[in-house]
Amino acid sequence: MARDLTHIVWDWNGTLFHDIDAVIEATNAAFGELGLPPITLERYRELYCVPVPRFYERLLGRLPTNDEWLVMDRIFHRHYWTLAGTCGLAQGAAELLAAHQSAGHTQSLCSLAPHEKLIPIVDTHGITGRFVRVDGATGPSGTGKAEHMARHLAALDGVLARRTVVIGDAVDDAVAAEHVGALAVLYTGGSHSRASLEAAGVPVVDTLAEAVMEALRLTA
């Protein structure tokens, strides 16, 4: 990899894919089936964290049992994937991906969305060719991204961690970046409040255009 090139590892849900409204609707549908009160977007962003069972602990005041977690996870995903087809890319995302590629930089996609679901939905939006690699999760859901990111980066030929910037909407993206020795920029358009993201100690931005500019600045 050339010394002056930047590799971006993009997150999908809540970052390139503007699905936060679908996430809230699916969460509240799952809550309704379990007899729990609905949650607002603001409250969700205030409490959300990974691993996801910890998020439910913040809501319930206790960790869900394994059986409860499996039920919650199954109901959420049933509703979410019904709604996902109505969601689009974040504003300007397609153009940013094209520009980064045209400038000679590389980029990949590392998501905790199930791999078998991620591949077709990315392809539906016509951006698969912008990435040198696309990896969704293949193990149990609800876990963090650190080890998944390590496997992803190891599979990228010629990509240096010190010239890699992870762009995501969750503190877990910054944790994953630190785990592999990469940099991170966090985006406020997804699952976390700005205050939550700022606690990660990395740059926080309000648009994806700013995220790319910051990634290039960090690796200049």
Side-chain angles (χ1 to χ4, degrees):
M1 186 176 181
R3 182 173 58 85
D4 59 343
L5 296 185
T6 300
H7 182 81
I8 293 177
V9 179
W10 291 95
D11 173 57
W12 178 245
N13 301 100
T15 304
L16 287 176
F17 191 49
H18 185 67
D19 63 348
I20 188 63
D21 294 330
V23 167
I24 298 300
E25 189 172 341
T27 298
N28 283 331
F31 283 5
E33 291 195 31
L34 295 167
L36 299 172
I39 189 172
T40 63
L41 172 59
E42 292 72 23
R43 184 69 170 156
Y44 182 94
R45 284 176 165 164
E46 178 186 342
L47 295 177
Y48 183 75
C49 62
V50 176
V52 179
R54 292 292 303 278
F55 168 56
Y56 286 112
E57 180 183 25
R58 292 180 174 188
L59 286 171
L60 303 174
R62 62 174 178 81
L63 274 172
T65 66
N66 188 59
D67 286 346
E68 287 173 330
W69 159 246
L70 291 174
V71 169
M72 289 175 174
D73 190 51
R74 184 175 67 250
I75 295 172
F76 170 83
H77 280 98
R78 186 178 76 235
H79 288 286
Y80 173 80
W81 288 107
T82 298
L83 296 164
T86 67
C87 301
L89 297 178
Q91 183 176 6
E95 293 80 5
L96 286 168
L97 293 171
H100 193 69
Q101 184 182 44
S102 294
H105 302 290
T106 56
Q107 53 204 337
S108 57
L109 181 57
C110 182
S111 172
L112 291 178
H115 188 76
E116 72 278 6
K117 298 277 193 179
L118 179 67
I119 296 300
I121 199 166
V122 171
D123 197 49
T124 294
H125 290 281
I127 57 173
T128 301
R130 303 300 182 194
F131 306 111
V132 296
R133 187 176 181 89
V134 177
D135 282 328
T138 57
S141 63
T143 59
K145 189 181 276 188
E147 293 305 322
H148 185 37
M149 183 66 71
R151 291 189 294 271
H152 177 78
L153 205 62
L156 297 175
D157 186 35
V159 172
L160 305 175
R162 61 183 173 81
R163 297 207 55 80
T164 296
V165 182
V166 177
I167 298 179
D169 69 316
V171 171
D172 190 52
D173 291 302
V175 172
E178 183 178 20
H179 181 70
V180 298
L183 301 162
V185 177
L186 299 181
Y187 163 63
T188 62
S191 60
H192 281 39
S193 67
R194 172 174 276 276
S196 297
L197 295 177
E198 287 175 343
V202 302
V204 177
V205 298
D206 297 318
T207 69
L208 294 185
E210 291 175 283
V212 172
M213 289 176 60
E214 188 65 19
L216 295 173
R217 186 191 69 80
L218 288 172
T219 54

